[in-house]
Amino acid sequence: MREKWVYLNGEFVPKSEAVVSVFDHGFLYGDGIFEGIRCYSGNVFCLKEHIVRLYESAKSIMLDIPLTPEEMEAVVVETLEKNGLPDAYIRLVVSRGVGDLGLDPRNCKQASVIVIAEKLSLFPQRYYDEGLEIVTVPTRRNVPDALNPKIKSLNYLNNVLVRLEAARAGVHEALTLNQDGYVCEGSGDNIFIVKNGKICTPPTYVGALEGITRNVVMELCETFQIPCAEVPFTRHDVYVADEVFLTGTAAEMIPVVNVDGRIIGSGKPGPITAKLTEAFRQLTVQRGTKVPGMFSTSV
Ligand code: PMP
């Protein structure tokens, strides 16, 4: 089997040797940021948008990335090329770097940069065909004044708790609410609801990541002239929606057919979700940054 390579601080190392120090503040404190990116048929989808978000997260937490955005883009493309992966999920991590046991990030001399490319399907295929069952969980989304969910930070404990609570409820994904009871997002994806031909997604100030897939779906709504608004909504609005779906780079677009035991619409993925999902799939192979030596195999 072909050797798998991980980009680690300026060089490619074999996967089995890709290790970071126990003194890295990413490990000690979750002090860092990350991105999840997908490559479809040799096209890196929305690479620039992911890199922009990475540098915005870095700015917000005052982390100096030792590469320019252009260099970072090149590293992502090179990692895919080196691993010969036309279809992959890329995990880009920038941690505060190696320091000491103290919390002070000023003792970390240089950020650590890691790029991993692997194959990934987040949910079994049948959920993409038949729809997911999800629940809302007791753990609330981080409040923006404490750790803003717009920062894609390495501190994912809030999301991890949500995923654990989903698993305890016997489902694969869950929704978080904010302190006021408004719906925020899933543990790793954004939510959309459809009612009477109109689409809504929570505004990010409610407590959600500004998902890149979310933005693409909003763009597709514009193309199809489907009204789509960023408005706060509650669990009730989700229960009585005609259709519900989740979006994310890892999750892609996935229909939801049951929320907290309430059947959504007909209990099957709805027509608007299907139309947008089809358009999204087409876009993933048409749009993107080409990885040299890899060619589109499908449309
Ligand atoms: N919300 C959270 C908490 C996430 O981790 C993700 C995945 N990055 C998303 C939403 C979806 O964002 P994107 O479409 O940019 O992957």
Side-chain angles (χ1 to χ4, degrees), residues 25 29 31 96 99-108:
H25 278 210
Y29 295 114
D31 183 355
R96 191 78 63 177
D100 54 27
L101 290 180
L103 187 60
D104 194 340
R106 289 172 302 178
N107 294 327
C108 304

Side-chain angles (χ1 to χ4, degrees), residues 232-248:
F233 54 82
T234 62
R235 281 187 305 146
H236 171 78
D237 303 307
V238 181
Y239 299 156
V240 301
D242 300 327
E243 301 178 35
V244 175
F245 62 89
L246 304 175
T247 66

